[in-house]
Amino acid sequence: MTTLRKVLVLAAVPAVTLSTVLAGPAAGTVQQQPVDVALEWYDVTADTIAAAGAPTQVTNNRTWAIGWLAASRALVRPAAPSYREAALAGAVHETLVTLVPARKAELDQALATTLARVPDGADETNGVAAGRQQAKAVLASRVDDGLDPASVNAPFTPPSTDAGVWRPTPSKYAPGTQYGNRLAKPFLLKSASQFRPGPPPALGSPRYNRDLAEVRADGALNSTTRTQAQTDTAQFWYGSSYVLYTAPLRVAVAEAASRPLAQRAKLVALFHVASVDTQIATSDTKYSYQRWRPVTALRATVDADWTPLHETPAHPDYPSGHATYSGSAEQVLTTLVGAQTAKPYTIGSPTAPGVTRTYSGWHQLTVENVDARVWSGIHTRTADTVGATLGRQVAANALHNAHKLFR
């Protein structure tokens, strides 16, 4: 079982229909739960990307956005349940086979499994056809959008070695990544800079000095002020935001089980549309200001041997990408599902094997992401808090303009 699959299993919520509860199992029979096609293809998407997805996070969010946007469009008109299930499966299958062709055999089997439950006839045939047609249309609209791995990681050369300017960080001193995101085609942003925040605190300003002092004390590898609980939080949230938020989004899809399938597909689509736009806006801000990372600042001005708890990612400090991602996720989930879940949910983390955390909403995830990047020693608090705000703004824009995607 893959790490991502283990995380998703922790967040699994069984689909139970009201009729099943009221009727109860027949005597002497084993009652099988009906299959929730939304969760079924959610897991197929997650497993496909975990097994053979792109090396760049935003490219994988793009795959989700295309597939589930196509499914949403195929479900716009009222139709029989068999049509709807076939349409969703057809849309996501067509997208994944096109973008992750290495998994074609597994995807074909998944489609066959779904369609085996759908009664044969015009609804099944027309549903699959509608899903495939919408997938092809969305794929065509996103050709050359700049979100392929090579474009995302377009080369970046730091303009100088002046104080405050980003440069490759220890220990790997890798070249800057994600520079090309800012040039990619958004889904709903007018431009990558539409919500660009103001500049980071000036070097030597009181806020800058407070930020740096906090990271120096609480984010150091050998910190004497960071508690064990804070270290645990930093470790839990150190991994890919995409992976860490796949389980919470699945919880939201399960929470919405009583809603029409079209609404649940839109939830998944808009989550990832907002995430793609957020990552484009994040890179725009990072590479507009090119603020150096705490490890560079501290080694240059305070302590030449200072080392963070975790390896610093290879791109500028301001704003934090983890914080923008979590702010975007929180905004979408709170708006479309509600601030609190019906019952607590438990998720895991690939960077903290065997550890789980339990939540009852979405805001606490953002709070922990903001803190974690400081306690990891890889971001200033201002980069985190500004990042969370940027993510919420971009996601709110996506939700406000969502109707443009479903014409």
Side-chain angles (χ1 to χ4, degrees):
M1 183 181 290
T2 65
T3 300
L4 177 57
R5 185 63 173 160
K6 291 178 182 176
V7 172
L8 290 175
V9 167
L10 289 169
V13 178
V16 181
T17 64
L18 181 60
S19 60
T20 301
V21 174
L22 294 177
T29 66
V30 176
Q31 184 73 19
Q32 291 186 336
Q33 299 290 357
V35 176
D36 183 330
V37 72
L39 292 180
E40 179 182 38
W41 280 90
Y42 189 97
D43 292 343
V44 168
T45 310
D47 289 345
T48 298
I49 292 175
T56 42
Q57 174 175 279
V58 70
T59 310
N60 292 325
N61 288 116
R62 172 188 184 267
T63 298
W64 279 88
I66 290 173
W68 288 77
L69 176 55
S72 301
R73 289 179 175 180
L75 295 170
V76 166
R77 71 176 183 84
S82 54
Y83 176 98
R84 295 196 297 270
E85 293 198 4
L88 186 147
V92 180
H93 173 270
E94 181 71 25
T95 301
L96 294 176
V97 166
T98 302
L99 298 178
V100 195
R103 297 287 289 180
K104 185 178 187 305
E106 292 84 356
L107 291 165
D108 288 349
Q109 180 58 56
L111 180 62
T113 298
T114 299
L115 296 182
R117 300 192 311 268
V118 177
D120 293 338
D123 283 336
E124 177 188 41
T125 301
N126 294 337
V128 172
R132 287 176 173 160
Q133 179 182 17
Q134 291 295 341
K136 290 175 181 177
V138 180
L139 285 163
S141 74
R142 299 301 300 184
V143 169
D144 296 328
D145 61 5
L147 290 169
D148 58 284
S151 297
V152 168
N153 285 330
F156 170 73
T157 302
S160 73
T161 56
D162 292 346
V165 178
W166 182 86
R167 67 194 72 163
T169 52
S171 61
K172 296 178 180 178
Y173 295 96
T177 60
Q178 302 175 14
Y179 175 67
N181 267 7
R182 66 198 304 253
L183 305 175
K185 175 185 175 182
F187 279 91
L188 289 168
L189 284 174
K190 294 178 181 177
S191 70
S193 62
Q194 183 176 350
F195 295 100
R196 186 191 296 167
L203 300 185
S205 66
R207 187 174 184 182
Y208 174 86
N209 290 337
R210 286 197 302 271
D211 277 347
L212 213 55
E214 181 185 21
V215 179
R216 182 188 183 191
D218 297 342
L221 177 64
N222 58 354
S223 172
T224 58
T225 59
R226 185 182 60 245
T227 67
Q228 185 59 52
Q230 291 170 337
T231 300
D232 293 343
T233 298
Q235 188 66 39
F236 189 89
W237 290 104
Y238 184 59
S240 155
S241 291
Y242 162 74
V243 173
L244 287 161
Y245 270 91
T246 299
L249 177 57
R250 189 185 192 280
V251 170
V253 175
E255 286 268 306
S258 62
R259 301 184 187 183
L261 188 58
Q263 289 186 18
R264 301 172 77 201
K266 283 184 179 180
L267 168 62
V268 179
L270 289 173
F271 181 98
H272 288 283
V273 163
S275 176
V276 169
D277 280 6
T278 294
Q279 289 172 81
I280 290 172
T282 299
S283 290
D284 168 78
T285 304
K286 280 182 178 289
Y287 283 101
S288 292
Y289 296 119
Q290 299 175 24
R291 174 50 59 90
W292 61 4
R293 286 280 188 160
V295 64
T296 308
L298 289 168
R299 289 192 177 190
T301 62
V302 180
D303 180 356
D305 296 321
W306 188 87
T307 301
L309 173 64
H310 288 132
E311 184 79 16
T312 300
H315 40 75
D317 175 59
Y318 182 87
S320 159
H322 266 58
T324 61
Y325 198 108
S326 60
S328 174
E330 180 189 348
Q331 185 71 34
V332 171
L333 296 176
T334 299
T335 302
L336 298 183
V337 181
Q340 301 297 119
T341 53
K343 59 182 179 181
Y345 64 94
T346 298
I347 60 174
S349 165
T351 54
V355 176
T356 61
R357 290 189 168 218
T358 300
Y359 303 92
S360 57
W362 320 114
H363 178 63
Q364 187 59 30
L365 280 63
T366 305
V367 171
E368 291 186 12
N369 265 281
V370 167
D371 288 336
R373 304 312 266 179
V374 176
W375 298 334
S376 285
I378 57 181
H379 273 300
T380 59
R381 185 166 294 278
T382 296
D384 293 330
T385 56
V386 170
T389 298
L390 175 60
R392 292 187 186 104
Q393 291 173 328
V394 175
N397 176 76
L399 294 169
H400 179 73
N401 291 289
H403 62 279
K404 297 177 181 179
L405 297 174
F406 304 105
R407 289 175 178 171

